[in-house]
Amino acid sequence: MQVKPEAVQGFGRSILMAVWAAVAVLLAGCDGASTGPVELSFGHVGAPGSLFAQSAEEFAARVNARLEGEAEVIVYGSSQLGGDDILLQKLKLGTVDLALPSSIMSSRIDEFGLFEMPYLVQNRDHMALIEEEIVWPELAPLAEEEGYRIIAVWENGFRHVTNNVRPVRVPGDLDGIKLRTPRGAWRVRLFQQFGANPVPMALSEVLLALRTGVVDGQENPLAQIRSSKLDEVQEYLSLTEHVYTPAYVTVSPEHWAEIPETVRTVVEEEARALRGFVYDTAKRLDRELLVQLADTEINVNWANRSAFETASQEVYQQFAADVPAGQGLIERALLLARQ
């Protein structure tokens, strides 16, 4: 059978028209999707029940109630979107909208090492003063220069040491202990000064590392220790309170600007307003978890704070020498404790 050229041309035109029709349907679908709620991903490393998790979930509930139908914050905890290193990279790439870094900020911006200074923050009232007088005018602009906009300051908490070797009452008890630390340069220096063998690693890797003996111990706030089940593979909990670590609700300035202004405003307002909830929850968890842990098989002891403070002085001196603004930051922070 002979096929006429004009029939082939007609058939080709039909296919082309069908393709264009399909494309039009897809584009219409995309236009419709763009009118739905803006989804904002919020990644953090905390396990369910941790202070990070409770803070992020309360924040999301408040934002979503105010922006119902316009935007929705979706929380991804337990390092689902990656550890702190990965989350900070994803912020810059625009594949994560919000993150909650803590100690890692001292490895990105030297001045954030202020919060690696042992026993610097006396209590949460003191931290609130430091936030207003130092974080917002001094540290937040430095973070933005590096591509991270801090929109609120929350909490990770007062940190304690656990291990499987011995109770830690004075710095000498840490001698030779392989201790997991966050990937913060000053935390490593601190525990080297105390005589431990610090091993930086992501929080998501710590439980397995403790179970397999890769490390002997770790240091974290009680809320992280309990929620991550670290106490289940540790013999000793030593209440050192050696460092208080803030946590920072962080976005990428470049990609944050692409979010509708009305959404950004509500998110930033609720993030700042949550500080009272975060502090109250942290205090409650510290009380409740200490009681819970005392009822487990882990051995609990208080450390000699005076001995640790004395052993910490060299770290202060190193920070003041290595960071140009370091001495001034330390002096201003300590002065605020007297107000």
Side-chain angles (χ1 to χ4, degrees), residues 239-258:
L239 302 172
T240 53
E241 295 185 326
H242 53 277
V243 167
Y244 172 93
T245 43
Y248 313 94
V249 185
T250 307
V251 300
S252 158
E254 178 182 353
H255 295 286
W256 193 237
E258 299 171 357

Side-chain angles (χ1 to χ4, degrees), residues 42 56 93 113 126 145 217 252 276 296 336:
F42 187 178
L93 292 172
H126 183 206
E145 289 175 7
S252 158
T296 68
L336 290 170

Side-chain angles (χ1 to χ4, degrees), residues 301-338:
N301 71 276
W302 282 98
N304 183 328
R305 174 168 175 151
S306 177
F308 275 94
E309 286 181 330
T310 299
S312 301
Q313 294 311 303
E314 186 171 330
V315 178
Y316 277 82
Q317 294 167 9
Q318 289 176 347
F319 183 73
D322 293 355
V323 179
Q327 185 63 44
L329 289 171
I330 290 170
E331 291 174 355
R332 288 172 59 195
L334 292 176
L335 183 62
L336 290 170
R338 305 188 190 118

Side-chain angles (χ1 to χ4, degrees), residues 14-94:
S14 297
I15 292 176
L16 185 60
M17 291 177 66
V19 170
W20 278 112
V23 171
V25 170
L26 289 172
L27 290 174
C30 290
D31 290 342
S34 66
T35 61
V38 175
E39 291 189 356
L40 300 175
S41 56
F42 187 178
H44 67 81
V45 301
S50 66
L51 178 60
F52 275 15
Q54 294 188 44
S55 302
E57 289 158 9
E58 176 67 18
F59 164 71
R62 294 185 185 189
V63 171
N64 295 347
R66 286 184 62 183
L67 292 173
E68 185 175 3
E70 186 176 358
E72 180 180 13
V73 175
I74 302 174
V75 178
Y76 298 89
S78 300
S79 303
Q80 292 179 68
L81 302 182
D84 284 330
D85 274 320
I86 300 300
L87 284 171
L88 289 179
Q89 292 174 22
K90 287 184 174 181
L91 278 182
K92 287 190 173 183
L93 292 172

Side-chain angles (χ1 to χ4, degrees), residues 229-247:
K229 304 183 186 303
L230 305 181
D231 58 294
E232 297 180 6
V233 292
Q234 295 279 260
E235 292 186 36
Y236 305 101
L237 165 62
S238 299
L239 302 172
T240 53
E241 295 185 326
H242 53 277
V243 167
Y244 172 93
T245 43

Side-chain angles (χ1 to χ4, degrees), residues 10-334:
F11 183 67
R13 283 196 297 271
S14 297
I15 292 176
L16 185 60
M17 291 177 66
V19 170
W20 278 112
V23 171
V25 170
L26 289 172
L27 290 174
C30 290
D31 290 342
S34 66
T35 61
V38 175
E39 291 189 356
L40 300 175
S41 56
F42 187 178
H44 67 81
V45 301
S50 66
L51 178 60
F52 275 15
Q54 294 188 44
S55 302
E57 289 158 9
E58 176 67 18
F59 164 71
R62 294 185 185 189
V63 171
N64 295 347
R66 286 184 62 183
L67 292 173
E68 185 175 3
E70 186 176 358
E72 180 180 13
V73 175
I74 302 174
V75 178
Y76 298 89
S78 300
S79 303
Q80 292 179 68
L81 302 182
D84 284 330
D85 274 320
I86 300 300
L87 284 171
L88 289 179
Q89 292 174 22
K90 287 184 174 181
L91 278 182
K92 287 190 173 183
L93 292 172
T95 54
V96 169
D97 298 299
L98 301 108
L100 192 59
S102 182
S103 299
I104 194 172
M105 293 299 285
S106 65
S107 292
R108 294 294 190 274
I109 301 101
D110 288 341
E111 288 79 0
F112 276 77
L114 176 70
F115 295 111
E116 300 294 312
M117 297 300 101
Y119 304 103
L120 178 90
V121 177
Q122 302 301 304
N123 51 49
R124 292 175 178 93
D125 289 338
H126 183 206
M127 180 60 216
L129 290 173
I130 293 174
E131 177 186 339
E132 299 304 324
E133 299 294 330
I134 296 177
V135 174
W136 293 118
E138 301 284 343
L139 303 186
L142 296 175
E144 186 139 2
E145 289 175 7
E146 296 298 320
Y148 310 111
R149 175 175 295 168
I150 296 170
I151 64 172
V153 181
W154 293 354
E155 175 176 316
N156 195 346
F158 290 96
R159 305 178 79 93
H160 309 279
V161 172
T162 68
N163 80 99
N164 285 325
V165 179
R166 64 181 76 94
V168 175
R169 294 186 173 88
V170 295
D173 293 329
L174 284 164
D175 187 38
I177 290 178
K178 292 179 293 183
L179 194 82
R180 176 269 172 180
T181 67
R183 292 189 174 111
W186 288 101
R187 193 75 52 79
V188 171
R189 290 191 190 189
L190 174 62
F191 279 98
Q192 286 174 336
Q193 177 66 24
F194 289 161
N197 180 15
V199 183
M201 69 174 66
L203 179 62
S204 59
E205 302 170 4
V206 177
L207 183 59
L208 180 60
L210 291 170
R211 279 179 174 159
T212 57
V214 172
V215 293
D216 303 311
Q218 59 83 50
E219 49 89 52
N220 256 304
L222 294 180
Q224 295 283 33
I225 292 170
R226 188 63 165 163
S227 63
S228 298
K229 304 183 186 303
L230 305 181
D231 58 294
E232 297 180 6
V233 292
Q234 295 279 260
E235 292 186 36
Y236 305 101
L237 165 62
S238 299
L239 302 172
T240 53
E241 295 185 326
H242 53 277
V243 167
Y244 172 93
T245 43
Y248 313 94
V249 185
T250 307
V251 300
S252 158
E254 178 182 353
H255 295 286
W256 193 237
E258 299 171 357
I259 304 298
E261 183 178 1
T262 54
V263 173
R264 297 199 311 267
T265 298
V266 169
V267 169
E268 292 175 14
E269 287 177 355
E270 292 298 337
R272 290 277 193 107
L274 200 75
R275 187 178 74 182
F277 171 88
V278 173
Y279 282 4
D280 289 344
T281 303
K283 292 175 187 177
R284 176 179 57 80
L285 287 174
D286 280 349
R287 292 192 304 269
E288 293 177 355
L289 294 177
L290 188 55
V291 172
Q292 291 178 25
L293 288 164
D295 286 337
T296 68
E297 294 183 0
I298 197 168
N299 296 288
V300 181
N301 71 276
W302 282 98
N304 183 328
R305 174 168 175 151
S306 177
F308 275 94
E309 286 181 330
T310 299
S312 301
Q313 294 311 303
E314 186 171 330
V315 178
Y316 277 82
Q317 294 167 9
Q318 289 176 347
F319 183 73
D322 293 355
V323 179
Q327 185 63 44
L329 289 171
I330 290 170
E331 291 174 355
R332 288 172 59 195
L334 292 176

